[in-house]
Amino acid sequence: MEQTTTTIPARPKNRTFRSVFENTGTGTIIIEADMTVSMVNASFETLTGYRREEIEGLKKFTDFVHPEDLGLMTAYHIGRRQGTVAPTEYECRLVTREGDVKHTAVRVKIIPGTRRSVLSFMDISARIASELALKKSRQQLANLVSNLPGMAYRRQGHAPYAMVYASQGCLSLTGYDAAQITSGAYPAYSDLVNPDDYNQIMELVHHALETKTHFQLTYRIRTAAKQEKWVWEQGMGIYGEDGDITAIEGFLTDFTEHKEIEETYREQGEQFHNEVLRLRSSISRRGGFSGLVGKSQPMRQVYELILKAAAVDANVLIYGETGTGKELVARAIHDLSCRRCKEFVAVNCGAIPETIIESEFFGYKKGAFTGAAKDKTGFLDTAHQGTLFLDELEEMSLNLQVKMLRAIDGHGFIPLGGNRVRLPDIRIIAATNKSPQTLVQTGLMREDFYFRINIIPVYIPPLRERKGDIPRLINHFLRKLSPSSITALPDAVMRKFMDYDWPGNVRELQNALHRYVSLEHVDFMTAPGNLDTTETVRSIVEAKPLRQAVHHFEKKYIVSLLDQHRWCRTEVAKVLKIDRRTLHRKLREYRITDSI
């Protein structure tokens, strides 16, 4: 470094110079040949955090320079005075009083006729930080693109648009690396496209470029291993200021697996469509299916709802009067659905005592309570991947509704005595003979539970609204009452059956027909006082053991009361002065069922 005197000349007294020096807008200093700072403006004070009294004549320029830039700055200073080439504009890092590093843009000029230099510093730390952030973002983006399960690309030129950039995913997608695809030699990416698909996709690309919209394509390519793959491509044009297309950028990914799944669903959809057509044809020819009988318009609407409900996996709420065949509808939906290979678990919500209802639904573990000698599987586990049919839904307690709602909403349940949450995959089909809205309004059903199960409502019309189906139903039941000497009803009897309103619906019709076949006497038993004990006794006067005769009478008596009360078991139990549990035991004993 050249040797110069350390005597600091007096400050310039020219007011104009001082004014310009102070108001340059940048941090400015004057340094001597030995790099001593002889003059500082206010902006430099702000830039470094030092006061001018601490700098002028006391510090050298190198005291502010970052150690990594020190050698270069010193070389520039010396070279400038020795007449060698040294830049007059460059970047340099300064260290502030607080130890912070600031990036600056420096402009240097030697004062004519002296060995002094004027240095101006502009703080560019924010710009440098932005550039570093941008560089980091670009690197992150490059890493992300490289790790995507597909290929990002850029194409230029005219059709077929030469590929000038391809991400690393190119190799796994096509079997060729990016250098091969972008080299311009064989194979170009367009050479990989299936010839049968090429014209169509180019048409779509050209249309998108003309309308300045993005495009999405699905087509086939041939890989380096001579395998065919389906790819999904999304891209868009890049346009210059004149509006002309300059490039196409986009993304390609392997779509083969999705295409195979799509094809499977298409085939299943066709099979389902054909099955629906077959069922509709069967309904038209036979007047019913899955045990349901009738060709009337109301029943046709029910059949359509069954087919639609079977095609999806949503919960179903079936409602209608007692005896209309709600369980048959539920079974038909299950049997036609994708769950048909799994269990259909029918639960009568009113037949289970309140004390054990939770263990019946959710099960329990061995030792959970006294008498729990082994694990018990609950209804929800039994119906896993199948259908849980909740009959007489109005009898379900509000407490159980809360727990059921939690289970079917994905939170699962824990069996009594267990410690692991079980997540059942079930479809709920519920049935009630009450108006669902009335159940909510009267507080018998929680509103949130109602909305969760009432996704697809299915209304079953009463028999009085479809009397045209009565002859068909009679023929159907007569064939089931085998052996029977009666194969058809006399006109007078048929008129009685047609004129009656059937408050107990199809179940009452079946039972009335059964009585007629047994007694050759029409008796609808529509009121509690109408029980004709003479006819009942007459039907059992033939010699029978007393026990058998009593059972015969009791069975007919219970059936007649069920008919009179529209199969409301609670009402019948009250009339008989027995509890519901005893009534259900007798129904099982006598094989009295409400299936129609």
Side-chain angles (χ1 to χ4, degrees):
M1 183 181 299
E2 58 190 272
Q3 300 296 319
T4 62
T5 178
T6 59
T7 302
I8 305 302
R11 293 169 173 275
K13 296 180 179 179
N14 185 294
R15 291 183 179 179
T16 302
F17 175 83
R18 290 295 308 177
S19 177
V20 171
F21 185 76
E22 288 293 340
N23 296 287
T24 58
T26 58
T28 306
I29 60 174
I30 295 177
I31 63 173
E32 303 299 319
D34 66 352
M35 292 193 183
T36 300
V37 181
S38 58
M39 195 169 176
V40 175
N41 71 358
S43 294
F44 191 80
E45 289 181 288
T46 303
L47 181 65
T48 62
Y50 289 95
R51 298 191 311 276
R52 69 179 67 196
E53 303 87 60
E54 299 176 287
I55 302 174
E56 292 178 343
L58 300 174
K59 288 187 178 291
K60 293 188 175 184
F61 168 53
T62 51
D63 293 333
F64 300 98
V65 177
H66 190 280
E68 292 180 8
D69 295 345
L70 188 59
L72 188 60
M73 296 301 102
T74 302
Y76 285 169
H77 181 80
I78 295 172
R80 194 173 291 115
R81 281 153 183 77
Q82 291 178 346
T84 58
V85 177
T88 58
E89 295 184 5
Y90 48 85
E91 291 182 5
C92 170
R93 287 171 291 178
L94 299 183
V95 180
T96 71
R97 186 188 194 109
E98 300 299 326
D100 297 328
V101 176
K102 290 192 176 180
H103 292 263
T104 63
V106 186
R107 300 185 73 175
V108 185
K109 188 174 182 180
I110 293 181
I111 300 174
T114 73
R115 296 177 63 81
R116 300 173 189 162
S117 297
V118 178
L119 289 82
S120 297
F121 299 88
M122 178 180 291
D123 189 354
I124 59 171
S125 299
R127 192 200 79 192
I128 295 296
S130 297
E131 288 176 353
L132 290 173
L134 179 60
K135 183 178 179 181
K136 183 178 179 181
S137 296
R138 285 176 174 169
Q139 185 59 50
Q140 290 174 338
L141 179 60
N143 293 339
L144 176 63
V145 169
S146 296
N147 291 317
L148 284 173
M151 178 182 102
Y153 69 81
R154 182 181 179 91
R155 298 175 184 169
Q156 286 180 334
H158 300 283
Y161 304 103
M163 196 167 284
V164 295
Y165 167 77
S167 66
Q168 293 179 10
C170 177
L171 182 61
S172 61
L173 184 67
T174 68
Y176 299 99
D177 61 33
Q180 290 174 287
I181 293 294
T182 59
S183 66
Y186 181 85
Y189 180 76
S190 56
D191 297 326
L192 308 183
V193 178
N194 188 303
D196 294 337
D197 298 342
Y198 184 80
N199 290 335
Q200 182 181 4
I201 65 174
M202 289 307 298
E203 224 175 272
L204 294 171
V205 170
H206 288 157
H207 176 73
L209 296 179
E210 288 172 3
T211 56
K212 295 188 176 181
T213 57
H214 72 278
F215 57 85
Q216 293 185 6
L217 312 168
T218 305
Y219 55 90
R220 294 164 292 176
I221 64 170
R222 189 88 170 160
T223 69
K226 308 303 179 186
Q227 295 177 331
E228 186 175 80
K229 279 186 179 180
W230 281 93
V231 295
W232 178 81
E233 178 179 354
Q234 180 170 355
M236 62 183 300
I238 308 299
Y239 303 88
E241 293 182 358
D242 57 2
D244 290 341
I245 180 75
T246 60
I248 301 173
E249 293 182 350
F251 184 75
L252 283 153
T253 189
D254 190 344
F255 202 67
T256 306
E257 185 177 348
H258 295 81
K259 198 69 178 178
E260 290 172 352
I261 294 172
E262 180 184 299
E263 186 64 20
T264 300
Y265 277 127
R266 186 189 64 78
E267 292 175 357
Q268 290 178 346
E270 287 182 357
Q271 292 173 0
F272 179 75
H273 178 69
N274 293 335
E275 180 68 9
V276 169
L277 292 177
R278 185 188 68 77
L279 289 170
R280 283 178 177 155
S281 174
S282 172
I283 293 168
S284 178
R285 289 196 316 271
R286 298 185 300 171
F289 73 104
S290 294
L292 294 161
V293 177
K295 292 181 67 174
S296 61
Q297 185 58 33
M299 286 306 293
R300 288 180 181 274
Q301 292 174 356
V302 172
Y303 300 149
E304 285 294 325
L305 281 172
I306 290 172
L307 294 175
K308 290 176 180 178
V312 296
D313 205 34
N315 295 332
V316 180
L317 180 59
I318 306 168
Y319 63 101
E321 296 180 4
T322 299
T324 50
K326 294 184 284 295
E327 183 169 349
L328 283 180
V329 170
R331 286 188 178 275
I333 293 172
H334 171 80
D335 290 343
L336 294 172
S337 75
C338 61
R339 294 176 178 266
R340 58 184 172 273
C341 296
K342 299 297 181 178
E343 293 291 329
F344 176 87
V345 180
V347 180
N348 189 317
C349 297
I352 307 172
E354 186 68 27
T355 53
I356 64 169
I357 194 165
E358 286 191 25
S359 64
E360 290 294 311
F361 271 88
F362 306 120
Y364 56 76
K365 293 295 183 180
K366 178 181 178 181
F369 51 84
T370 303
K374 60 180 181 179
D375 291 354
K376 174 179 173 57
T377 302
F379 296 140
L380 271 68
D381 273 331
T382 305
H384 181 63
Q385 296 184 334
T387 301
L388 181 63
F389 175 58
L390 303 175
D391 197 11
E392 294 192 27
L393 187 65
E394 66 276 7
E395 299 289 342
M396 180 180 285
S397 69
L398 296 177
N399 179 52
L400 183 59
Q401 289 179 32
V402 172
K403 296 183 178 181
M404 283 291 294
L405 182 63
R406 181 174 178 80
I408 63 180
D409 263 346
H411 300 290
F413 66 94
I414 301 177
L416 187 62
N419 53 20
R420 288 188 179 181
V421 175
R422 301 187 65 80
L423 299 172
D425 172 17
I426 57 174
R427 181 190 199 175
I428 300 289
I429 301 181
T432 178
N433 57 17
K434 310 289 185 184
S435 163
Q437 293 84 358
T438 301
L439 293 176
V440 175
Q441 292 167 3
T442 56
L444 292 176
M445 184 183 297
R446 291 174 56 94
E447 189 174 36
D448 50 1
F449 185 64
Y450 164 75
F451 285 121
R452 189 66 179 83
I453 64 172
N454 189 33
I455 307 298
I456 302 177
V458 179
Y459 170 67
I460 312 298
L463 188 55
R464 61 181 174 277
E465 293 180 6
R466 56 183 189 103
K467 284 193 173 183
D469 291 330
I470 290 177
R472 189 175 298 275
L473 284 163
I474 288 173
N475 290 335
H476 171 74
F477 290 134
L478 285 176
R479 286 195 298 272
K480 289 179 65 177
L481 293 173
S482 178
S484 171
S485 58
I486 300 177
T487 57
L489 297 185
D491 291 344
V493 174
M494 179 63 80
R495 279 195 298 273
K496 288 184 178 182
F497 273 74
M498 292 295 291
D499 291 341
Y500 184 56
D501 274 344
W502 301 107
N505 294 295
V506 180
R507 183 186 295 112
E508 184 184 6
L509 171 66
Q510 180 183 17
N511 292 330
L513 188 64
H514 198 169
R515 280 195 300 275
Y516 174 77
V517 170
S518 301
L519 308 175
E520 296 189 18
H521 173 73
V522 178
D523 186 354
F524 296 132
M525 299 188 197
T526 57
N530 275 6
L531 180 61
D532 190 340
T533 55
T534 304
E535 288 295 338
T536 305
V537 171
R538 185 181 301 134
S539 68
I540 59 171
V541 294
E542 58 185 275
K544 291 181 179 177
L546 179 60
R547 184 178 181 83
Q548 184 179 349
V550 169
H551 284 190
H552 184 73
F553 175 83
E554 188 175 57
K555 177 179 179 180
K556 287 185 172 294
Y557 184 59
I558 292 174
V559 169
S560 66
L561 287 176
L562 286 167
D563 283 342
Q564 292 164 26
H565 292 280
R566 301 189 181 184
W567 282 71
C568 178
R569 296 166 181 79
T570 301
E571 292 297 323
V572 172
K574 288 179 182 178
V575 172
L576 294 174
K577 298 189 183 306
I578 59 177
D579 57 33
R580 283 176 59 93
R581 193 173 181 182
T582 302
L583 176 59
H584 279 284
R585 180 177 56 77
K586 289 184 176 294
L587 294 180
R588 289 194 299 272
E589 179 184 350
Y590 295 136
R591 296 184 181 179
I592 300 173
T593 175
D594 60 351
S595 62
I596 56 175

